[in-house]
Amino acid sequence: MNNYSKLINSHMISFKEALVKNFKKINLNEIEAMVIILLYEQKKINNTLSIESLLEQVTLSEYDLSSMIVNLVERGYIELVIEDNMEEHFFLTPTIDKLGEVLEQNDKKTHSNDIELS
């Protein structure tokens, strides 16, 4: 976890804003980014993954939404943990780390460009 990831985790940098501006750079499409934003909002209320709750907010079918979430887990954007009581808890740490890396690269490019202009 780099410093930008830490700033996102501490809410010093807006997760949603960083994702909206950089979803393409971390290889997400618009729908995947929206689902991750909805998961981020859901996580504020409850750490348990609720497809039913998400379905109320998207136009995707249950099958398509479930498939997308499985795909995001497999591609390393969502960490899924199944507890003994079969509750599925999720973490967006992998997405936050990917965003942190992009923000750090953007900062280095900006700093490099500033040096060249000097």
Side-chain angles (χ1 to χ4, degrees):
M1 180 177 288
N2 67 25
N3 288 332
Y4 284 97
S5 300
K6 291 175 186 174
L7 290 171
I8 294 169
N9 274 327
S10 65
H11 307 288
M12 299 293 289
I13 293 176
S14 167
F15 172 80
K16 292 188 285 187
E17 187 176 326
L19 186 59
V20 166
K21 289 181 178 179
N22 296 290
F23 69 87
K24 187 175 177 181
K25 291 179 183 175
I26 63 170
N27 298 315
L28 292 172
N29 65 38
E30 294 86 346
I31 299 169
E32 292 167 333
M34 179 57 79
V35 167
I36 289 176
I37 288 170
L38 293 172
L39 285 168
Y40 180 79
E41 290 300 315
Q42 186 179 86
K43 190 161 185 58
K44 290 179 183 177
I45 299 165
N46 188 349
N47 197 28
T48 305
L49 181 61
S50 171
I51 297 293
E52 296 79 22
S53 175
L54 289 174
L55 281 171
E56 295 173 5
Q57 303 173 64
V58 297
T59 57
L60 298 170
S61 70
E62 183 174 356
Y63 175 81
D64 289 341
L65 179 60
S66 296
S67 295
M68 181 178 293
I69 290 174
V70 167
N71 182 271
L72 289 168
V73 170
E74 289 173 346
R75 290 172 42 213
Y77 291 90
I78 302 169
E79 183 181 346
L80 197 59
V81 177
I82 302 173
E83 298 291 325
D84 292 336
N85 58 1
M86 299 308 290
E87 282 188 352
E88 294 179 335
H89 295 276
F90 68 95
F91 302 91
L92 297 175
T93 307
T95 300
I96 291 170
D97 288 343
K98 290 175 192 301
L99 284 172
E101 290 170 14
V102 166
L103 294 175
E104 186 173 52
Q105 289 170 358
N106 290 346
D107 191 37
K108 285 180 182 176
K109 286 180 187 175
T110 302
H111 183 69
S112 176
N113 289 343
D114 289 347
I115 291 172
E116 289 175 11
L117 294 174
S118 298

